[in-house]
Amino acid sequence: MSFSAQELGKQIAALRIQKGMTQEELGERLGKSKSAISNYENGFNIPTFPVMLELARIFNVNLSFLAGESDLQTRFNQFSMSRRMGVYGTDRAQEIFSGEGDETRNYIDLPHDCNILKDENYIALKADDNLFSSIGVKRQDYMIVKREDQLSPRFLNVIAVKNHIMAGKITLSNGFFSVFPTGDMDTPPMRFHAQKDEVRIVGRVVKTIRNESYAI
């Protein structure tokens, strides 16, 4: 089966209506104008990869259902909708421990080459700012973190300082967490008192994933 731009547009329109959304509401979810949604639905424009991925998330369908077995589909087949992982913002650390916000959680669909088990031992953190650029994580990129309650000296660790996430080489001594954001232990660290600063260990970084939708 091969979808033309018009057939793809009809599919988007049908799913939007089934979802009970207006073109304006869908546009707000995608960061697009109402006219842009109309152009998609009328087959005047074909959504880019990031838009298709977000549409699949919004409509809770897989990409092949949107794109069909066509050349268009080959642009998206590196992703599997069954390997979905909830994303936490790095400025909302309390949700990691409380489970708050699950109903409005965003998701990342892991690449096929990401050998990460989708279970409760792993979470995805989305960098909300540039604080992690020194360890190679740019704004809007993702860090896949294995939940652990102990620091791992050989890895990049993640801690929550009150409601904010910190990552880097991290040590704990005499009740103080020392964070080396660049990973260089010879540079002066940021120090946080375990109790006064309400520090909690989140885990260690096992993989970073570039957010191509932000780069495009």
Side-chain angles (χ1 to χ4, degrees):
M1 180 180 180
S2 179
F3 273 17
S4 67
Q6 288 73 26
E7 290 171 325
L8 177 59
K10 290 179 181 178
Q11 184 81 324
I12 293 172
L15 289 168
R16 173 182 60 78
I17 294 170
Q18 184 179 10
K19 198 77 172 177
M21 302 175 68
T22 65
Q23 288 182 338
E24 186 174 5
E25 289 171 337
L26 180 57
E28 289 178 357
R29 293 283 298 273
L30 294 171
K32 301 287 184 181
S33 65
K34 178 182 177 181
S35 62
I37 302 303
S38 178
N39 285 338
Y40 292 151
E41 294 185 354
N42 286 294
F44 298 142
N45 291 325
I46 293 178
T48 61
F49 162 73
V51 174
M52 286 288 288
L53 184 59
E54 189 61 26
L55 283 169
R57 291 190 182 115
I58 292 171
F59 297 143
N60 194 29
V61 299
N62 60 42
L63 289 170
S64 61
F65 188 79
L66 278 176
E69 298 300 327
S70 66
D71 291 341
L72 184 62
Q73 170 63 17
T74 64
R75 297 170 55 195
F76 313 131
N77 63 9
Q78 61 180 303
F79 284 83
S80 169
M81 299 303 291
S82 64
R83 295 175 61 78
R84 176 169 286 187
M85 180 178 289
V87 174
Y88 296 84
T90 52
D91 61 349
R92 301 171 68 178
Q94 87 281 354
E95 294 183 358
I96 299 174
F97 301 94
S98 68
E100 295 177 358
D102 283 343
E103 294 181 355
T104 58
R105 175 83 56 236
N106 290 321
Y107 292 88
I108 180 175
D109 297 301
L110 300 177
H112 284 302
D113 65 354
C114 184
N115 296 318
I116 301 299
L117 297 176
K118 193 190 74 172
D119 60 31
E120 295 180 356
N121 292 325
Y122 294 89
I123 61 172
L125 296 176
K126 186 176 184 179
D128 297 314
D129 47 43
N130 291 314
L131 291 177
F132 308 96
S133 59
S134 58
I135 58 172
V137 180
K138 299 179 181 179
R139 182 171 178 261
Q140 302 295 315
D141 284 358
Y142 300 97
M143 293 179 285
I144 307 301
V145 177
K146 183 177 182 181
R147 293 295 307 276
E148 295 179 342
D149 56 10
Q150 299 291 329
L151 296 175
S152 301
R154 297 187 296 110
F155 297 91
L156 294 176
N157 291 276
V158 178
I159 60 174
V161 181
K162 294 185 177 177
N163 198 31
H164 297 279
I165 291 295
M166 304 293 295
K169 293 288 186 179
I170 302 175
T171 61
L172 173 60
S173 179
N174 298 322
F176 281 89
F177 285 85
S178 296
V179 181
F180 301 84
T182 64
D184 184 356
M185 304 288 280
D186 294 327
T187 60
M190 294 183 289
R191 287 167 56 84
F192 303 95
H193 191 275
Q195 293 184 338
K196 293 180 180 178
D197 293 313
E198 302 175 20
V199 181
R200 289 175 288 184
I201 298 173
V202 177
R204 61 182 173 90
V205 178
V206 297
K207 187 177 182 66
T208 59
I209 298 178
R210 182 82 172 97
N211 188 342
E212 299 296 344
S213 64
Y214 185 77
I216 293 175

